[in-house]
Each structure stands twice: as structure tokens, then as C-alpha cells.
């Protein structure tokens, strides 16, 4: 029995507890299809260079150190990884028997066609469609792309060459980044 004065009064549905319908209308935002593309693996099965999700970001594992089980607990693993889109370093400690998410990152190769004034790249995908929403990276790779593109443009005027500048992109959920540049033939 409740203490005196703390009794709860249960409202009757038909008179007092009228619930506004708007209280239950919830808007759900659909996540991108790629966001759900993660697999679960045990921490002790990870190796250097493998992709891993740390703090909700897809990363590349650069260091994995496992300790022995101690007197009061299981073995722990120290994970050091870099975000594949922002290059931020992320560290985490987890039990080796725990499960961890591994992202399924999409890799694609596109042909660089042009660079527009606001540093966006015009690229052609394998299916022949043209995109112009890729931003030029603001790092050494971006500088290399600019130099190689304008050198290739001058060289093509002199001789007709079928070789093209190919960019490798990685994408997961709404993030996409250019990670490599090579000269070659589009397949």
C-alpha cells in the first residue's frame, strides 16, 4: 500500500485520459541503404588494414594490440584506426570476444573529364552516366589531380592518346571520397 498522500489516481479512459492523436504521430527518417550495410565480427578476428566501425564512422585499422586475460577480466584489444573519409585518428579498447561492426564500403573507379571553377570534378561512371558532385580533395592528392589533369589536357592537344585519368572513390552511406589517382584505360 502506498504511503498516505502518495496514492496515484488512475484516470478513467472515457472522461479524463483523452490522449491527443498528435502525441503519437512520429516522423521516421529513412536511412540510406548503405548505412545498414555493416557486418558483425569478433574483435579478435580483426587484422591490420581491415575496415572497422569506430564511433559510428567507417575506419581503416592501422594498429591492433591484444592483451592477455587478467586476474579480473577477459582479454582486451587496443584498436587504432583512421577514418577513411576525414583521416581522423580514432582509438578504442574492447574485449576480444565482443562483436564489432565492419562496414561494407563501396569502391568505384571513375574517369575524370573536367574540373569546374568551384573545384568540383566532372566524372563519368562505368555505366556512362556523368556526375559533377564530387569535390576535389583538399590535400596532396587534390594538388596531384589538378597538376596531372592540366598536364594531360596540354599533352592531348599535341598527340591523341586514349589514356585517361582514373579516380578511385570510396563510398559508405552519404560519405564519398576520392582516394587514388592513376592513368590508364577505362574498362
Amino acid at each position: 500500500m502506498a504511503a498516505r498522500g502518495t496514492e496515484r489516481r488512475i484516470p478513467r479512459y472515457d472522461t479524463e485520459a483523452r490522449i491527443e492523436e498528435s502525441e503519437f504521430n512520429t516522423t521516421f527518417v529513412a536511412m540510406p541503404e548503405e548505412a545498414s550495410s555493416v557486418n558483425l565480427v569478433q574483435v579478435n578476428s580483426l587484422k591490420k588494414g581491415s575496415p572497422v566501425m569506430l564511433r559510428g564512422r567507417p575506419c581503416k585499422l592501422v594498429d591492433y594490440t591484444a592483451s592477455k586475460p587478467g586476474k579480473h577480466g577477459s582479454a582486451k584489444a587496443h584498436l587504432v584506426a583512421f577514418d577513411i573519409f576525414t583521416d581522423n585518428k580514432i582509438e578504442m579498447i574492447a574485449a576480444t570476444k565482443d562483436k564489432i561492426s565492419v562496414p561494407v564500403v563501396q569502391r568505384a573507379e571513375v574517369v575524370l573529364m573536367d574540373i569546374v571553377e568551384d573545384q568540383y570534378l566532372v566524372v563519368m561512371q562505368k555505366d556512362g552516366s556523368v556526375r559533377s558532385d564530387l569535390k576535389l580533395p583538399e590535400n596532396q592528392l587534390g594538388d596531384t589531380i589538378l597538376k596531372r589533369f592540366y598536364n594531360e589536357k596540354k599533352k592531348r592537344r599535341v598527340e591523341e592518346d586514349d589514356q585517361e585519368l582514373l579516380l578511385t572513390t570510396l563510398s559508405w552511406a552519404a560519405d564519398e571520397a576520392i582516394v587514388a589517382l592513376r592513368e590508364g584505360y577505362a574498362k
Side-chain angles (χ1 to χ4, degrees):
M1 180 108 187
R4 190 174 178 159
T6 61
E7 296 173 5
R8 287 183 152 193
R9 187 169 158 240
I10 301 173
R12 289 184 36 204
Y13 179 75
D14 58 335
T15 58
E16 297 176 21
R18 301 215 190 271
I19 299 173
E20 295 291 324
E21 187 176 326
S22 63
E23 289 180 41
F24 293 104
N25 289 343
T26 306
T27 305
F28 292 98
V29 177
M31 289 190 64
E33 186 178 308
E34 296 88 2
S36 63
S37 59
V38 292
N39 298 324
L40 290 176
V41 297
Q42 272 193 328
V43 172
N44 62 0
S45 68
L46 294 173
K47 295 181 174 70
K48 289 182 183 178
S50 59
V52 64
M53 291 291 291
L54 296 180
R55 296 189 189 145
R57 299 290 302 162
C59 301
K60 181 177 180 180
L61 192 64
V62 292
D63 191 26
Y64 173 89
T65 311
S67 65
K68 294 182 180 180
K71 182 177 177 182
H72 300 290
S74 60
K76 302 281 189 261
H78 180 236
L79 308 173
V80 179
F82 285 96
D83 189 313
I84 59 176
F85 297 113
T86 62
D87 236 13
N88 292 336
K89 182 178 180 179
I90 301 173
E91 296 186 37
M92 183 177 138
I93 296 177
T96 56
K97 296 294 180 188
D98 285 350
K99 298 261 185 189
I100 194 164
S101 298
V102 174
V104 179
V105 178
Q106 304 297 321
R107 179 181 293 265
E109 198 165 61
V110 295
V111 178
L112 178 60
M113 297 175 64
D114 197 9
I115 300 175
V116 254
E117 296 170 8
D118 52 354
Q119 302 299 310
Y120 279 92
L121 307 176
V122 178
V123 297
M124 183 171 57
Q125 297 177 323
K126 284 191 177 195
D127 64 357
S129 61
V130 177
R131 298 176 45 193
S132 59
D133 60 345
L134 277 177
K135 184 113 172 105
L136 185 70
E138 296 176 359
N139 54 20
Q140 185 178 2
L141 178 61
D143 297 338
T144 305
I145 291 170
L146 279 173
K147 288 177 188 173
R148 296 273 301 270
F149 178 74
Y150 289 115
N151 287 340
E152 286 296 313
K153 206 171 184 180
K154 289 177 186 175
K155 190 167 85 172
R156 284 191 184 146
R157 289 185 194 143
V158 177
E159 61 184 61
E160 284 301 314
D161 191 3
D162 289 335
Q163 284 197 353
E164 300 165 312
L165 291 178
L166 303 172
L167 305 173
T168 304
T169 63
L170 292 180
S171 61
W172 183 83
D175 293 330
E176 187 167 25
I178 299 169
V179 294
L181 165 73
R182 74 177 182 89
E183 196 171 311
Y185 300 102
K187 296 178 183 177

